[in-house]
Amino acid sequence: MTDHDRAAGPPAGATSAPAAHRGYPPGPPQARPAHSPQPPPPPAGPTVRSPVGPADPAGPAAPEEARPPVPSARVNGPVPQRIWRETREGLLALSVWTERVPGRGEDADPFVAHHWHSAQGLLAVFDGSGGAGAAPVWQASDGTSRTGAWAGARVARLATDCWFREVATGGEPADPESLREYLRYFLASAPQRRSKIGGTMRRQLPTTLAAVHYRLAASPDELELQPLWAGDSRAYVLRPDTGLQVLTRDHTRESDALELLRTDPPMTNLVCADREFEIDSRRLTCRLPCVLVAATDGFFGYVHTPADFESLLLRTLHEARHEDEWADRIRREVQSYTADDASIAVLALGYRGFEELRGTFAARLQEVTERYVRTRPRGLDRLAPGAADEPSAVPQDPAELSARVRDWQNRTWHAYRSGYETHLPPAPEEHA
């Protein structure tokens, strides 16, 4: 625990550092017979799993001994926002959640959990699809109405929470089909208001999901990763030698990350209650230490180039004095440029503290800054993270500026793309 760790002490059996060489048993929990995907009852006695992250209004209350540390929640001004963090030896976790329009946000709280005994964990984000689920489906006692997108994201979070509880402690397989069944069960059980407005784009309780399930491998320096996703939220792995690498492929007909910044294609697959959907998945191994990231498009969908998102993460890390400040700087940065709700979960594994984490990425930050930030054309607007600090003159001809920006984006993306797409899953038509 670092000098900057000022959170309340962890409850018995809560999250802990995922480092097999520090002495906890590596192997999965004992399997038990298959069962229907129903919310599990509270365990008898002290639990060995707790949801590490902000409490979700739709989620069940955890037993007293299982409740996570109190989140560092802040509300500055009119924009609702929550930041949270926790540190243990070998583990640093944080999450950020913001609403673009107060009371109308459709992202659910990010989910982060680590299970000590089975040496595995999960981080996930959920973005209710406002276009497909704009109709109101639920009304609170004070008269506040909620859309299908708002409800869908929170029901999906609850289903994912219960799924991971059973994966970690009940022998549920950690595979995409199992998660899909939990999501289908919970969505089917949720109250719904059928809309009289039909159409191919309409969905009941629609939401994206991007998650990373991880488990320590037999080697103490390796991590087994399984990204799971539906829709256009994304999961990443971040390392100082390779930079930010995407682990998921958006479920859209266009998959080029730069083109996705220039266009807004509809999703071809997302979690919902009234139609079939798939949870895409793959397995890979990553060396420790590393940083895992899951984010909704409010973070990466309103920047100038894909490299801007990595720049945001590394620059705020470098400028922060401790993990609380890192989370708060991420929150302030995204609110300065996004036009959407935004949520992110970050999990650093294998570092001995915040100072080591920050120092490890110093050289990578310098490289990203020199190659992708300082090369920005003069006159580029300052909405994207990492824009130049000094004002620059805007060319008189807007068409000239637009052409220069597009040329810079293409050159930057060409240089950044190969590293970023190292673990990009193949397109569906490329599957054997």
Side-chain angles (χ1 to χ4, degrees):
M1 190 170 294
T2 70
D3 294 336
H4 302 298
D5 190 355
R6 298 183 297 279
T15 59
S16 59
H21 59 277
R22 292 193 175 95
Y24 60 78
Q30 184 176 358
R32 66 189 184 93
H35 59 280
S36 299
Q38 300 181 10
T47 182
V48 291
R49 178 268 176 203
S50 67
V52 185
D56 191 289
E64 185 64 33
E65 67 273 14
R67 287 178 183 164
V70 177
S72 303
R74 299 184 178 94
V75 176
N76 300 333
V79 180
Q81 55 206 271
R82 284 190 286 274
I83 66 172
W84 165 92
R85 67 103 182 116
E86 182 175 344
T87 56
R88 305 289 179 87
E89 185 183 4
L91 180 150
L92 186 154
L94 63 85
S95 68
V96 175
W97 173 93
T98 72
E99 285 185 333
R100 186 64 180 171
V101 178
R104 299 295 178 186
E106 291 171 336
D107 282 17
D109 283 325
F111 178 85
V112 187
H114 176 74
H115 185 245
W116 174 279
H117 179 73
S118 59
Q120 63 181 307
L122 183 78
L123 63 158
V125 292
F126 314 85
D127 180 5
S129 181
V137 299
W138 178 77
Q139 189 172 61
S141 57
D142 63 358
T144 302
S145 64
R146 299 296 187 183
T147 65
W150 184 95
R154 285 150 181 82
V155 172
R157 187 189 190 279
L158 173 60
T160 303
D161 183 331
C162 294
W163 174 77
F164 179 69
R165 181 190 297 264
E166 288 300 297
V167 167
T169 65
E172 185 73 27
D175 59 40
E177 184 59 29
S178 171
L179 175 58
R180 186 172 78 102
E181 289 306 309
Y182 267 72
L183 290 163
R184 290 177 62 187
Y185 177 85
F186 277 77
L187 289 166
S189 303
Q192 300 179 45
R193 180 183 300 172
R194 302 292 177 179
S195 173
K196 295 180 180 179
I197 303 176
T200 58
M201 300 300 294
R202 289 283 175 177
R203 298 288 188 277
Q204 291 290 326
L205 308 183
T207 183
T208 71
L209 180 155
V212 183
H213 176 264
Y214 65 88
R215 187 192 298 270
L216 285 167
S219 168
D221 297 326
E222 287 189 348
L223 195 68
E224 296 174 353
L225 301 180
Q226 184 180 26
L228 302 130
W229 74 98
D232 62 359
S233 294
R234 296 177 188 169
Y236 307 83
V237 61
L238 174 64
R239 291 179 46 84
D241 54 342
T242 56
L244 189 69
Q245 298 177 320
V246 69
L247 302 176
T248 57
R249 178 185 286 270
D250 290 10
H251 285 136
T252 55
R253 298 195 183 282
E254 174 61 68
S255 60
D256 183 286
L258 179 57
E259 288 305 314
L260 287 169
L261 290 176
R262 295 169 171 167
T263 61
D264 187 21
M267 283 178 279
T268 58
N269 177 57
L270 74 167
V271 176
C272 61
D274 59 331
R275 304 192 190 190
E276 288 298 317
F277 62 88
E278 298 297 327
I279 301 298
D280 219 336
S281 176
R282 64 192 305 245
R283 295 181 183 272
L284 62 153
T285 302
C286 177
R287 288 183 295 110
L288 287 172
C290 68
V291 179
L292 303 179
V293 179
T296 62
D297 65 351
F299 268 93
F300 57 79
Y302 295 87
V303 295
H304 287 301
T305 73
D308 279 337
F309 182 42
E310 180 180 353
S311 175
L312 177 152
L313 294 173
L314 298 185
R315 184 165 41 81
T316 53
L317 171 63
H318 177 74
E319 294 169 350
R321 294 164 295 177
H322 44 75
E323 49 271 28
D324 273 339
E325 186 176 351
W326 187 25
D328 193 53
R329 284 182 176 272
I330 290 175
R331 187 269 308 169
R332 282 185 281 150
E333 285 281 351
V334 72
Q335 288 179 335
S336 73
Y337 68 84
T338 192
D340 198 357
D341 309 320
S343 53
I344 189 172
V346 179
L347 188 68
L349 302 166
Y351 296 93
R352 288 173 292 185
F354 183 80
E355 293 295 334
E356 181 182 71
L357 172 66
R358 182 174 60 181
T360 299
F361 281 95
R364 176 63 185 179
L365 171 61
Q366 183 176 1
E367 178 185 354
V368 170
T369 302
E370 291 292 335
R371 298 186 66 181
Y372 309 118
V373 176
R374 291 181 180 168
T375 58
R376 294 176 183 278
R378 295 177 64 84
L380 184 66
D381 67 69
R382 299 170 57 88
L383 293 180
D389 293 332
E390 297 182 1
S392 52
V394 179
Q396 296 298 316
D397 184 2
E400 177 190 350
L401 174 60
S402 178
R404 292 174 62 197
V405 168
R406 192 174 186 89
D407 178 67
W408 166 76
Q409 288 177 317
N410 291 337
R411 287 185 288 105
T412 301
W413 177 228
H414 178 75
Y416 186 74
R417 183 173 187 171
S418 61
Y420 176 83
E421 292 186 343
T422 298
H423 302 299
L424 179 71
E429 61 271 18
E430 297 173 1
H431 286 295

